[in-house]
Amino acid sequence: KVTMLPYKLSDRLRLLQWLLPVIVMAVAALYQLGPARFVHNHYGAWAHFWLEILFYGTAGPAFLWMTFRVVRVWLEQKEQAEAEVYRLNSELQQRVEERTRELKQKADALETANLQLQKLDQIKSEFVSLVSHEFRAPLTNMRGALELMGDSFSTNSADYNRMLRIVNAEVGRLSRLVEDVLNISRIEAGELKLICKEVDVLKVVHQVLDEFTARNVRRRLHYLPGFARPILWADVDCLHQVITNLIDNAVKYSPENSEVTVSIALDREEGVLSVSDNGPGIPMEEQPRLFQKFSRLDSEDAKETYGYGLGLYLSRRLIEGMNGRIWVESKPGQGATFRFALPLAKQQLLLEG
């Protein structure tokens, strides 16, 4: 509102402080020179006396009432303004807090994304280093074998056939590496299609053991026969790959001529396959990260053993894709036993039916 009065309440009160005496003096002067003199001259002293009482008895309180009313209105305006300022300040503070929380959340999300990018960059570097090493080693062996075959051996000699076996083994090693990388890429892209059906796990175990025996792995591979021969609900190729990865892992980390055993058992509505070795064992604190990507043990034996840290990770993803679970049981110096459990085909058919 447009007003001639000062904006500040203190200035208004200061103005009122000077105006009140002037107004009182002016009203008193007008009263004495006008009505009071007229009554005194025409009606006498008593009439003048009662007029004085009437005037000052009503005009004084009325004047005070008007003055306090003006002051009260100003104070109410001040209080309303302060309340509005307080409301606006509270609203502003709430908005600032909300905005601060949003900025903190975005900052935390940005920091998390940055850490993930750093982790991804580290993983990429580890992957390039590991895969480069895994490609370089077999390629070097193959090139050396081929050079020897071309320079020194006749096609019918025993050494020539041994070199052929080396080349074949290294080609198989490279093929498995490429297949593992491709399978992980398909899994993480959601493109790996599992075709689950009834699978005789014992038949798959014997196939894998025969393949390792043909590779001359210098380990005593042994199947422990039992009373159980479960029919699992699984993808046969994925099951074959998981068993291959577990046995290959046991062969790599166990000493030469030691025993690697495979066993099969029933556990309620699941079939459980176990692969045990006589290797150095796995510390308890290392076990949770065994099934992570590019994870390898920090022991000297692990560093001297070829591997790219994808086999157990891939096995876990495949087993989980078939509605199973996988775990390890081990103590340092007592070897390790890797187990996985998959649903029985009969139970799976009942659930689908």
Side-chain angles (χ1 to χ4, degrees), residues 194-306:
L194 300 180
I195 304 175
C196 292
K197 59 183 180 180
E198 296 181 355
V199 178
D200 185 349
V201 64
L202 183 58
K203 185 180 296 185
V204 179
V205 167
H206 284 307
Q207 290 175 354
V208 176
L209 290 176
D210 289 343
E211 292 170 5
F212 274 91
T213 302
R215 286 164 49 186
N216 188 24
V217 294
R218 300 177 184 177
R219 308 291 189 278
R220 290 181 287 117
L221 306 179
H222 181 55
Y223 168 70
L224 293 177
F227 297 103
R229 185 169 180 169
I231 304 299
L232 302 181
W233 187 258
D235 182 295
V236 63
D237 293 329
C238 292
L239 181 61
H240 186 283
Q241 185 168 7
V242 171
I243 298 174
T244 299
N245 288 345
L246 295 183
I247 294 179
D248 182 65
N249 194 71
V251 167
K252 285 190 295 185
Y253 290 98
S254 58
E256 288 191 8
N257 298 319
S258 64
E259 189 175 66
V260 174
T261 60
V262 182
S263 61
I264 302 171
L266 282 173
D267 184 13
R268 298 181 181 178
E269 298 170 353
E270 295 177 320
V272 180
L273 185 140
S274 305
V275 178
S276 302
D277 62 58
N278 292 303
I282 305 168
M284 184 65 68
E285 62 272 13
E286 298 279 353
Q287 295 180 17
R289 66 182 186 89
L290 276 180
F291 298 96
Q292 298 176 6
K293 195 188 301 183
F294 305 126
S295 176
R296 301 190 66 201
L297 296 179
D298 295 330
S299 64
E300 293 300 323
D301 292 339
K303 294 177 181 178
E304 296 174 358
T305 304
Y306 79 87

Side-chain angles (χ1 to χ4, degrees), residues 44 48 122 164 330:
H48 184 203
Q122 181 182 359
L164 276 180
S330 178

Side-chain angles (χ1 to χ4, degrees), residues 93-153:
Q93 184 176 0
Q94 183 178 359
R95 290 183 179 180
V96 169
E97 290 176 354
E98 291 176 355
R99 187 61 177 167
T100 302
R101 283 195 298 269
E102 292 177 1
L103 291 175
K104 186 177 184 303
Q105 290 174 356
K106 291 180 179 180
D108 292 342
L110 185 62
E111 183 179 0
T112 302
N114 186 43
L115 292 175
Q116 290 177 346
L117 287 175
Q118 292 178 1
K119 185 177 180 180
L120 288 174
D121 186 65
Q122 181 182 359
I123 290 175
K124 182 191 72 173
S125 300
E126 292 176 355
F127 174 76
V128 171
S129 175
L130 287 169
V131 172
S132 298
H133 172 74
E134 292 304 316
F135 273 111
R136 188 185 301 114
L139 288 174
T140 301
N141 293 339
M142 291 165 61
R143 183 172 61 184
L146 291 173
E147 289 176 353
L148 288 173
M149 290 168 63
D151 296 340
S152 306
F153 303 134

